Amino acid sequence: MIPDQKHLRSWIGRTQTEEEFVSPRLARQLAATLDYEHSPSTGDVLPPLWHWALFPHISPQSQLGPDGHPPRGGFLPPISLPRRMWAGSRVRFERCINVGSHVTRTSQILDVAHKEGRSGSLIFVRLRHELEDEKGSLISEEQDVVYREAASNPYVAADGPKAPTSWTWQREIKPDALLLFRYSADTFNGHRIHYDRTYAIRQEGYPALVVHGPLIATLLVDLVRRCLPGATLSSFSFKAVSPLFDNEPFYIHAARVSDSREVRLWAANAAGVLCVDATAVLGVSRP
């Protein structure tokens, strides 16, 4: 069934403002989940993309849907398609967020669009998030969320596109249920495909638990941190191409672009299929 596009598009332009305290405890939790050598404490810089753990959607247990998501129809449009995925983001870093600070996020719905894909109807929602503190702008981000129809057949692994075969740095990631559970807890993400194996397989047709797209993106940025200590980012973008699962290792890669501040980043599964495509732009070093 094609959703009522005119009604859904009436959500375009809606805004929402939220406030958040950047808790030292949350920073410690994320550091533990991501195996950081040192946990940021009050006054330290919050590493790039950890802001995704701020401003969680907090709803009473009785209001959660069968997939574990909060109800729709408030700020986000009431899309009836049951499956939801964070498809990508484009992030610009203006200033660093500090642990222990207070941050305000103003969100706006930029677009709601219907498309037809191989799996049926798709609804894309494009959002803008502006984060700031008392000194001004911190982060500007556009985020793409896609809603899909219920799975009618078991998941079939993609055989392409193939990931690049040349890189500067590589790291193997061995995901497991505990990693996915802890990241879900850090971000207060109730989506059951990340921690409820029975639901992921029987209800959504996946072969195993699904690795969070934002977690993969955060690991890609962390690869830059590990290989270029002290480097900062001016921007980052990622696009989810194909899902990754907790039943086999996957690989994250980074390739320096010559004569440029750009770093090409990607994640690939064990078969070499491109699963997440990303780009980071390094900040300008200051004397």
Side-chain angles (χ1 to χ4, degrees), residues 16-18 54-55 57 103-107 129-131:
Q16 173 180 269
T17 300
E18 305 164 274
L54 303 175
F55 310 101
H57 298 290
V103 176
T104 299
R105 183 178 76 173
T106 300
S107 303
H129 302 298
E130 301 286 348
L131 279 67

Side-chain angles (χ1 to χ4, degrees), residues 131-143:
L131 279 67
E132 59 182 11
D133 60 11
E134 70 280 359
K135 295 180 181 179
S137 179
L138 294 164
I139 291 174
S140 179
E141 176 178 1
E142 285 193 7
Q143 176 185 349

Side-chain angles (χ1 to χ4, degrees), residues 167-169 228 254-264 282:
W167 58 80
T168 311
W169 307 296
L228 290 175
R256 292 293 304 265
V257 178
S258 60
D259 300 320
S260 170
R261 293 186 289 119
E262 184 175 300
V263 181
R264 172 86 188 277
L282 303 177

Side-chain angles (χ1 to χ4, degrees), residues 96-118:
C96 295
I97 297 175
N98 293 109
V99 178
S101 64
H102 290 267
V103 176
T104 299
R105 183 178 76 173
T106 300
S107 303
Q108 182 180 27
I109 296 178
L110 299 180
D111 193 26
V112 180
H114 171 260
K115 296 182 180 180
E116 286 293 329
R118 289 180 298 177

